[in-house]
Amino acid sequence: MERGLSMELVRVTEAAALASAAWVGKGQKNLADQSATEAMRTLFDTIPMDGKVVIGEGEIDEAPMLYIGEELGTKDGPLLDIAVDPLEGTTIVAEGGMNAMTVLAVADRGNLLHAPDMYMEKLAVGPDCCGLIDIDAPIEDNINKVAKAKGKRVEDVTVTIINRPRSKDLIERVRQLGARIKLFDNGDVGAAINTCFDWTGVDILAGIGGAPEGVIAAAGIKALEGDFQAKLLPRNEAEKDRCLKMGVKPNTKLELSDIVRGDDAIFAATAVTSGELLSGVKFDKKYRETSSVVMRAKSGTVRFINSRHSIEKKPNMVLTDN
């Protein structure tokens, strides 16, 4: 992948964030998602690459979403796999909540797991705990190992878990051990990435979420030198057959290197609404301000980017006819 690709990808997430931010708090999650998708697609097609969506929002018949198999870019650059979530947290945006982001990940062709849209059990930690976790082990064992690696008491370790009925047993076990819990309702890409930054206060991500989001998060964690393990959890025979056709055994541990192969991947995200890691889009009479992060595994570079965008020079950068 070209060195300048990281900055080109940030332009894509910025455009999607600016477009969807116009819908914050307006109860229109589908329009927010559509706005982000259209902006992302437009910018993608200006980038010198030959990209193919392997993690998207459905199949070709579900357009205008960025669908699996869609080709993006000018076709005169590197062959890339693309994983996208044009708006992670559509409900968050509709309700004016926190931690909505536009996110994407890219890797050389064939290096991203082509995960179907099914449930995935996930376990993520930051660089201090790389190589220590085991998704097959009890959560208590993993928390104890993280506490020791970070020099913390178990009761000071924070586990972030999606707030769903399926998390009930996990939540009870973490509480019985005495560790802290931070529940989240949506946005498990951001929740996983937060484990790699001490100032977020999150030490471990555990629980069951979406597989596509897991692949995107894994790319970011690879760039941050953290660790991520997962299992695909099919709910029926059709989903099980999809796993087997992909060459992935369901209910079997996947290491980070199984999900994002090779030595390189790029992760980019721009906040739509504020969270622990990034500030949301800010509105001014003449400008819009965005906060983004982009990271590359091969170089280990992590860039936090604050940008100001002129409305006067680009009056159509966001939807205003709502």
Side-chain angles (χ1 to χ4, degrees), residues 76-133:
D76 58 356
L79 296 171
L80 301 175
D81 279 350
I82 302 172
V84 294
D85 192 344
L87 181 55
E88 193 204 21
T90 55
T91 300
I92 294 172
V93 170
E95 297 177 354
M98 297 182 65
N99 285 306
M101 300 192 304
T102 61
V103 297
L104 62 85
V106 303
D108 291 320
R109 183 67 54 84
N111 280 359
L112 290 181
L113 178 71
H114 296 195
D117 189 3
M118 65 175 60
Y119 280 135
M120 174 185 274
E121 183 181 356
K122 309 170 191 179
L123 187 64
V125 292
D128 291 347
C129 305
C130 189
L132 299 179
I133 59 172

Side-chain angles (χ1 to χ4, degrees), residues 176-229:
Q176 287 177 4
L177 185 66
R180 303 173 67 193
I181 291 177
K182 182 173 186 178
L183 296 175
F184 65 95
D185 291 318
N186 296 282
D188 58 342
V189 173
I193 295 296
N194 283 346
T195 63
C196 295
F197 296 96
D198 288 339
W199 69 79
T200 66
V202 175
D203 299 299
I204 309 172
L205 167 93
I208 298 172
E213 292 85 354
V215 174
I216 298 173
I221 290 174
K222 185 183 185 79
L224 291 165
E225 301 182 78
D227 205 355
F228 185 93
Q229 294 180 356

Side-chain angles (χ1 to χ4, degrees), residues 230-245:
K231 294 180 182 179
L232 291 175
L233 305 177
R235 292 166 291 183
N236 51 50
E237 287 300 315
E239 290 187 350
K240 182 178 179 180
D241 289 343
R242 289 196 70 180
C243 288
L244 296 175
K245 287 178 181 178

Side-chain angles (χ1 to χ4, degrees), residues 13-40:
T13 57
E14 284 178 343
L18 289 165
S20 58
W23 298 99
V24 170
K26 297 181 180 180
Q28 300 285 346
K29 69 176 186 178
N30 291 336
L31 288 175
D33 196 24
Q34 180 181 342
S35 300
T37 299
E38 291 174 352
M40 190 170 271

